[in-house]
Amino acid sequence: MIKIAEKTFLVTGAGTGIGYSIAEHLIGSEARVVVHCNSHIEPAQKLASEAKTDCVVIQKDLSEPQAGQELVEEIINLGYAIDGVVNNAAIMTELSLDDNPSVWEEKWLKTLQVNLIAVSSITRRAIEHFKSKGGGIIVNISSRAAHRGDTPECMHYAASKAALSNFTKSIARNFAADGILAYSICPGFVDTEMTAEFTQNYPLSEILSGIPLQRIAQPEEIAAMVVFLLSGQVPSATGTNIDINGASYVR
């Protein structure tokens, strides 16, 4: 396993699913980890209590304005020098063209707030911090939907992830000279609670028929790639969008 001891990383949405696995792998790589969560506080606290490295939990609702900025400020005020940020927290609520216009806009706004605007606030403050210490790494967890689109019920989710992937490219292009690297990971279906909720109305056979690998990815696969990117071994790949989808969408 890659060792990144003595480095400090923030992982958002780490109380469950992909984020939890990323935090777990970083702890296993001997890194310090700030585990952010919102509703999944108990598993996050359990993870931190069992960690053999320095690990703290911060609970914050990223749907609230300024929450992203406040999250990074809180970490810095605790005395941590952040080496990398994994923007994983996201929501996916279904909508319909038949929804009341006010409901439609509310779902779009909340999705953009959590999946994009909070990420931009976290990243803006992180970039300021990275500049003061000579660099840092940002890994954004995007989606296959960012590039191929999604169902009518999840167009807002796909749009938020497309913007996130593009945001990653802008970070890479504009701040590489400051030692700041940025990568975007675009998973397809991953075996998480979010995926289970989304796919409960879809037969597994239907889902697998579109995946040449014939299986859904495991969170550990995403986590392994994140740890590798955070190790700093591939700086020339900054700005890259990395697909992890079983060849269900090949660009």
Side-chain angles (χ1 to χ4, degrees):
M1 183 175 288
I2 296 170
K3 301 298 182 182
I4 41 181
E6 306 306 318
K7 291 190 175 183
T8 302
F9 301 102
L10 162 65
V11 184
T12 69
T16 186
I18 293 173
Y20 184 96
S21 186
I22 291 170
E24 193 173 42
H25 275 61
L26 286 170
I27 291 168
S29 297
E30 301 181 4
R32 303 185 190 95
V33 182
V34 178
V35 178
H36 160 265
C37 66
N38 181 20
S39 56
H40 297 89
I41 183 67
E42 291 184 4
Q45 290 176 332
K46 184 174 186 294
L47 177 65
S49 67
E50 295 175 352
K52 295 181 180 180
T53 60
D54 188 5
C55 183
V56 297
V57 177
I58 298 179
Q59 185 176 24
K60 194 168 289 290
D61 184 357
L62 295 181
S63 70
E64 296 294 330
Q66 307 302 317
Q69 167 86 13
E70 292 168 0
L71 174 59
V72 180
E73 290 290 351
E74 187 169 341
I75 297 166
I76 293 172
N77 290 338
L78 287 172
Y80 289 99
I82 307 169
D83 296 289
V85 172
V86 183
N87 287 306
N88 166 76
I91 59 173
M92 182 168 61
T93 57
E94 291 192 5
L95 53 69
S96 169
L97 292 171
D98 296 326
D99 282 342
N100 181 282
S102 62
V103 173
W104 172 274
E105 290 194 3
E106 180 183 347
K107 289 183 178 180
W108 268 89
L109 288 170
K110 185 171 183 179
T111 297
L112 290 173
Q113 170 61 38
V114 175
N115 297 6
L116 182 63
I117 297 172
V119 173
S120 76
S121 296
I122 291 168
T123 302
R124 185 192 69 82
R125 186 62 185 92
I127 287 173
E128 290 178 345
H129 177 69
F130 291 157
K131 282 185 174 182
S132 72
K133 63 184 292 296
I137 301 175
I138 296 166
V139 180
N140 291 325
I141 306 301
S142 184
S143 171
R144 177 185 69 175
H147 301 286
R148 76 166 208 171
D150 213 320
T151 63
E153 296 82 11
C154 295
M155 290 188 293
H156 54 330
Y157 174 81
S160 71
K161 292 298 187 177
L164 180 60
S165 287
N166 188 276
F167 181 46
T168 305
K169 296 175 185 178
S170 294
I171 297 165
R173 287 178 58 84
N174 289 288
F175 300 104
D178 298 299
I180 298 170
L181 310 174
Y183 309 93
S184 178
I185 296 181
C186 302
F189 285 111
V190 182
D191 188 11
T192 64
E193 291 179 11
M194 179 185 285
T195 297
E197 291 175 6
F198 176 73
T199 60
Q200 61 185 349
N201 296 321
Y202 297 88
L204 180 60
S205 58
E206 181 180 326
I207 294 170
L208 295 180
S209 67
I211 305 176
L213 192 60
Q214 285 293 288
R215 69 173 180 82
I216 292 174
Q218 295 300 306
E220 293 78 12
E221 297 180 75
I222 317 302
M225 180 60 74
V226 170
V227 172
F228 175 63
L229 295 173
L230 290 175
S231 72
Q233 296 185 64
V234 286
S236 291
T238 188
T240 300
N241 280 261
I242 300 170
D243 296 320
I244 303 179
N245 61 46
S248 61
Y249 186 68
V250 180
R251 293 180 288 139

